[in-house]
Amino acid sequence: MKAVRFALRSFARELRSGEVVVLLLSVALAVAALTAVGFLTDRIGKSVARQANEILAADIRLRSPEPIPPQWRQAAEAHSLDTAETQTFPSVVFAGDESSLTTVKGVSADYPLRGHVRISDRLFSEQYEVDDIPQPGTVWADGALMARLGISVGDTVSVGEADLEVAAVLTYRPDQSIGFASLAPSILVNLGDMPRTGLITEGSRVGYALLVAGEEDAVNSFYDAVEETLPDSVRVRNREDSSGRAGDAADRAERFLSLTAVISVLLSAVAIAMSARRFTHRRMDTVALMKSLGASQRFIITAASVQIVLLGVLGIVIGCAVGFSAEKLITSMLADLFQSDLPDPGLAPVALGSAVALILVIGFAMPALVQLRNTPPLRVLRHDAIPPPPSRLFVAGSSLLAVAALLYSVIGDGRMLLIVLAGMLVISGSLYVVGRGLVVLIGRSRGGVGVAWRYGLANVARRGRDSAVQIVAFGLGLTVLLLLTFVRTELLESWQQSLAEDAPNQFLINIQPQERDSIAAIFEQADIAAPDFVPLVRARMSTINGEDVKTREYPAEDGRWMANREANLSWATTLSDSNELLEGEWWDADYQGPPLVSVEEEAALEMGVGLGDQLNFMIAGQEVELTIASLRRIDWNSFRPNFFMVLSPGALEDYPATYVASLKIDATEKGVLLTLVRAHPTVSVIDLDAILEQVQSIMDKASLAVQAVFVFTLAAGIAVLFAAVQSTIDERRFESAMLRALGARRRTVLAGVLTEFAALGFAAGLLASAGASILAYIIAVNLFELDYDFSPGLWLAGLLGGTLLVCVSGFIAARGAINAPPIDVLRAA
């Protein structure tokens, strides 16, 4: 208790005297950065996830061939969740003497729970969002259906026994399919009108769905409550198991945010480590005096530990307040840039920031406390009596364990953790080794320059190990700043460029073989390049290596769905530009042998098949045996016709096939689509513009998040630079006083200090540029699957920016030591 009381009294005095301000500010800045990053990533991450859920029109969707049981809705209401229902089935719609196969979708009042329906007032005109559904007695009809039937807004269509007015053109609904399964255009009907149609009777093939949305924890609790009661026929979908492009974009966005959080944590760790080192050296004289007066090592270590914990707690309080305020300011500035309000943040960032700060303080201060405990009483008389430092293995081990534990708690991504942490360790080691070499080189080459330069370079050489440590600190700070300044921009640009500017925005489906020439002519007459027509054959897999697909065991549940679904098969002579061959070989263009098939890599993995395996399909009542010849990776972001299974030429020539095509059409050219559907009413046109906008919106939102988070990471990086300068500030103050007492002018001393920092900054910038380039390449290729080109601008910025930033940081941090009156410094010494 005496040690605790002493620690509290001395801590209060030290706060008043400013002895622990540097370490306190380092901890507070670390917590502020982590808390602000946590709040921001939590809120924007939820917003990104919520927007990605638009592909389901809900957070979770339960689809069933049977009517939705009341207890499912009751369970959702018990968890305070919003619900909506849909009923989907194919039917023939009539308009006078004209008719067309249509997908009828009945929706309840709250549909959709996520996203918005878009409509227009006439065919191929400007579309806009609406927050309601068709009024009773009306429908919203797909433009392709209206073109086939030759009707306009205001006309009437017959849906079963009900005559309904077409109130608008349906251009987009969030959960619309962009695959090849929905060959018919659709209409949106008020669920209250469905009984009037008389189309749903016993035995009707209707797809019923319950849409559920709300807070993430409540949605998960709801699913846990009903999971055991769900029949095998019910298919549950959420964003995580969706194969939509928007889901992929959201996952990549979360990785960007996680990467930024990791960088912030690493910088905070370095800043606290440097500050804890100075804190220890500042307290050695006090500890030596206490030991000479009879204080025990236990008393000393207890008092120091209490003060460290107090520093951490006070830093957490200040940091959380600053972080919360900063997050509020940034989100208010960015609020107008988002399509919807950001969800309220949870308390997890506060808990995480607090835990991280304590782990950092303990992990990096403990080695310093061990050295403090061993301070000899002789230091009262001899200031050069310094306790031996603890084992480097102990220091490195405790620090690494602390950092690894907190990083894993932040991201939960072992692969990212391994890449980033291993990269930073390699960069740190390289910085230290090369830094020691540069120190020796600078020491040998300082002759033949002015006095200020000689003084500055002599400081670098004389400090030796400390200069190398500063190069490591400066280099790490510059590495991550370069990584998030240049690499951040290039990665985001590469990511956004992965959605190519010429990506198709229109799909043509259900093209008959005899219609290809006519369709090509329609586009050519409009000065639009005719698309490539890709064949499509519907089939069902029957066996895999002789095993029935219905009873076979699969490595993943999605593999069972993949094997039992109605498959879309195609054939090709050459490999598509959006496909990459991973294993096996592609067949020759004139291949005439037994039928072969190339399988998409994830589908093969989920079904548990590989090269040489046999897949049997039933096509038009006949069985076809295929041998897997290769595995492919597909770039789904290309938005071109791609297939899980592509067959060799001739394998499907004797079977009925339709064709699909994709192309990009500008808004001013969309009139050709009206000509197309009127000339070929059986061809379905799917407009992908809304889906492309959805993916792009998620990308833009993630970009804004990374831009905002970068502000705090920049502050943490500057804190590292200041902490590195502060680690030698006492020595600099004494040297400056001695030189000025011996007649040196203040300008000469300042020039020498700036020369020292310029040398350290240049060395750190050179090594940081190399480290940032290599780490950026590894991150881009392995974490984001993007191409990365090494940038000369990054090297130039590393050298110039490193020199300038370190010089400015050093000047601001060291000017107090240079300006201090020599007599006061020498008396205190």
Side-chain angles (χ1 to χ4, degrees), residues 785-798:
E785 298 180 355
L786 297 172
D787 295 331
Y788 176 75
D789 297 325
F790 288 93
S791 172
L794 186 146
W795 287 80
L796 181 62

Side-chain angles (χ1 to χ4, degrees), residues 31-68:
V31 176
L34 288 172
T35 305
V37 167
F39 277 134
L40 199 59
T41 55
D42 184 36
R43 297 187 73 185
I44 297 180
K46 287 180 179 178
S47 180
V48 168
R50 179 176 292 182
Q51 186 173 350
N53 284 344
E54 291 183 14
I55 60 177
L56 301 176
D59 292 333
I60 188 172
R61 181 179 69 196
L62 284 67
R63 177 180 289 173
S64 171
E66 303 294 333
I68 302 299

Side-chain angles (χ1 to χ4, degrees), residues 262-309:
V262 170
I263 297 300
S264 298
V265 171
L266 284 175
L267 285 174
S268 301
V270 175
I272 291 176
M274 299 295 295
S275 300
R277 181 169 176 263
R278 179 171 184 262
F279 175 79
T280 300
H281 284 283
R282 296 279 293 181
R283 292 199 38 93
M284 282 184 181
D285 289 342
T286 303
V287 170
L289 180 61
M290 292 171 59
K291 279 192 172 184
S292 66
L293 296 177
S296 65
Q297 286 191 348
R298 180 179 179 182
F299 181 90
I300 291 170
I301 200 70
T302 301
S305 299
V306 169
Q307 290 184 347
I308 288 293
V309 173

Side-chain angles (χ1 to χ4, degrees), residues 606-625:
E606 292 169 352
M607 291 190 297
V609 298
L611 299 180
D613 286 340
Q614 303 293 320
L615 307 180
N616 284 39
F617 284 87
M618 293 299 297
I619 306 175
Q622 299 184 26
E623 190 170 43
V624 177
E625 182 177 297

Side-chain angles (χ1 to χ4, degrees), residues 627-686:
T627 302
I628 298 179
S630 63
L631 301 180
R632 294 167 294 118
R633 176 178 296 152
I634 298 176
D635 177 15
W636 297 107
N637 285 330
S638 67
F639 280 86
R640 301 185 184 280
N642 282 300
F643 297 83
F644 288 107
M645 301 192 186
V646 177
L647 279 64
S648 56
L652 300 177
E653 285 184 354
D654 297 333
Y655 298 94
T658 59
Y659 287 81
V660 298
S662 66
L663 72 164
K664 181 176 178 61
I665 296 180
D666 294 335
T668 57
E669 301 172 329
K670 286 193 173 181
V672 70
L673 299 177
L674 186 57
T675 303
L676 171 66
V677 295
R678 285 175 173 170
H680 300 277
T682 60
V683 174
S684 294
V685 179
I686 298 178

Side-chain angles (χ1 to χ4, degrees), residues 10 78 126 142 169 206 314 335 354 447 498 526 615 751 760 773:
S10 60
E126 184 177 353
D142 189 301
V169 181
V206 181
L314 187 57
S354 302
S498 68
L615 307 180
L760 294 175
S773 296

